[in-house]
Amino acid sequence: MLVSATEMLKKAVSGHYAVGQFNINNLEWTKAVLLTAQENNSPVILGVSEGAGKYMTGFDTVAAMVKAMINSLGITVPVALHLDHGTYEGCYKCIKAGFSSIMFDGSHFPIEENIEKTTELVHAAHNMGLSIEAEVGSIGGEEDGVIGAGEIADPNECKMIADLGVDFLAAGIGNIHGKYPENWQGLDFDALAKTKALIGDLPLVLHGGTGIPEDMIKKAISLGVAKINVNTECQLYFQQATRDYILAGKDLVGKGFDPRKLLAPGYEGIKTIVKEKMELFGSVNKA
Ligand code: 13P
């Protein structure tokens, strides 16, 4: 069932768990995430970066594939199709393409411009029944060409953006896209608690979910994080399983070169990590 992310995240805040956003890249990724959500009776958010949208030939293709797959696989758990780190133009494209949720990443603009553009997009999204995420304080590292400095979001600026009517908010607290460096300082829970105190029950989003230790994930959820984004970890599981298959020479045996066989271990790898994350985030049986 394709829905906006508003209700599932409100439920997550009151139930003290988080819903995973898993970024998709192709048919295998989408099928793996949807079926794992259904098997675990968990709500789920499919994240699509602008780069991944382009790779899949455009947002129209992505929306059509996801809707058709929900239908043909008989997926009944709540699924949101969400633009990840959208530009102003990308947000409008996804509203038109039939996404159920968008993120406007205005974190690199001066706060006045972030407020102005977010305000406009909140109206555009809500008019069409979509949910909208905004961002304050950039997420560190690089994802599909989006590069962030990794600032800690100013809680007062978070409050300003929260008051614009966004449905959930990404606030940078030292989180980074991709693998965390050895000397990473960890999440800034003081900043998270200050923001939470100012914005109340508005769901908070933790980007850069790959590699954050379990105790930090649990603490972040206890402080109001209700959506956690995971991308790199699915890619790493897919890579490792594909690598093992080829290094074991399985592609050379019989019809092992058939793409459906070649991609099967990677597909299972994605299912394994998505299930683990759903268990850790507490979203199993919360559909
Ligand atoms: P990771 O790639 O670090 O898991 O981050 C995903 C993310 O935040 C998507 O927006």
Side-chain angles (χ1 to χ4, degrees), residues 21-23 47 49 82 84-85 103 133 135 139-140 142-143 175-180 205-212 227-235:
Q21 171 191 307
F22 302 97
N23 285 47
S49 67
H82 180 73
D84 190 27
H85 292 286
M103 171 187 189
E133 171 180 350
E135 178 169 330
I139 314 300
E142 190 262 344
E143 184 181 58
N175 37 335
I176 296 172
H177 286 132
K179 292 181 186 172
Y180 283 84
V205 183
L206 184 62
H207 283 247
T210 295
I212 298 179
K227 171 176 179 278
I228 303 178
N229 294 5
V230 179
N231 183 10
T232 307
E233 218 159 334
C234 292
Q235 299 181 4

Side-chain angles (χ1 to χ4, degrees), residues 56-254:
M56 290 184 269
T57 76
F59 296 127
D60 289 336
T61 310
V62 178
M65 174 180 73
V66 168
K67 285 177 190 173
M69 223 186 257
I70 287 174
N71 227 357
S72 49
L73 293 174
I75 304 294
T76 54
V77 296
V79 177
L81 175 59
H82 180 73
L83 172 65
D84 190 27
H85 292 286
T87 58
Y88 177 82
E89 296 77 18
C91 285
Y92 278 108
K93 282 186 191 161
C94 286
I95 293 173
K96 193 159 162 270
F99 275 47
S100 66
S101 188
I102 52 171
M103 171 187 189
F104 172 58
D105 182 354
S107 62
H108 49 285
F109 291 123
I111 186 70
E112 298 75 22
E113 196 172 348
N114 193 357
I115 289 176
E116 190 188 317
K117 290 192 161 70
T118 301
T119 305
E120 182 190 319
L121 286 162
V122 165
H123 290 298
H126 287 172
N127 276 341
M128 298 295 286
L130 284 80
S131 47
I132 176 166
E133 171 180 350
E135 178 169 330
V136 183
S138 72
I139 314 300
E142 190 262 344
E143 184 181 58
D144 264 346
V146 179
I147 299 166
E151 304 146 0
I152 308 289
D154 174 346
N156 294 314
E157 290 189 358
C158 290
K159 167 81 176 141
M160 283 190 242
I161 297 280
D163 286 348
L164 305 177
V166 299
D167 299 290
F168 33 105
L169 181 70
I173 50 166
N175 37 335
I176 296 172
H177 286 132
K179 292 181 186 172
Y180 283 84
E182 288 292 322
N183 61 352
W184 181 50
Q185 302 293 304
L187 297 176
D188 186 336
F189 291 113
D190 283 346
L192 182 58
K194 279 187 194 132
T195 297
K196 167 80 185 155
L198 289 175
I199 67 167
D201 277 343
L202 186 75
L204 283 162
V205 183
L206 184 62
H207 283 247
T210 295
I212 298 179
E214 286 194 19
D215 57 331
M216 284 195 202
I217 292 281
K218 289 192 172 143
K219 186 158 181 191
I221 293 173
S222 76
L223 289 169
V225 164
K227 171 176 179 278
I228 303 178
N229 294 5
V230 179
N231 183 10
T232 307
E233 218 159 334
C234 292
Q235 299 181 4
L236 293 171
Y237 269 64
F238 182 87
Q239 175 215 16
Q240 189 60 52
T242 308
R243 196 176 175 78
D244 290 347
Y245 180 86
I246 292 176
L247 288 180
K250 293 186 181 165
D251 56 321
L252 301 173
V253 180

Side-chain angles (χ1 to χ4, degrees), residues 24-27 49-58 61-62 144:
I24 56 170
N25 290 289
N26 58 17
L27 181 141
S49 67
E50 298 219 354
K54 209 185 231 177
Y55 176 79
M56 290 184 269
T57 76
T61 310
V62 178
D144 264 346

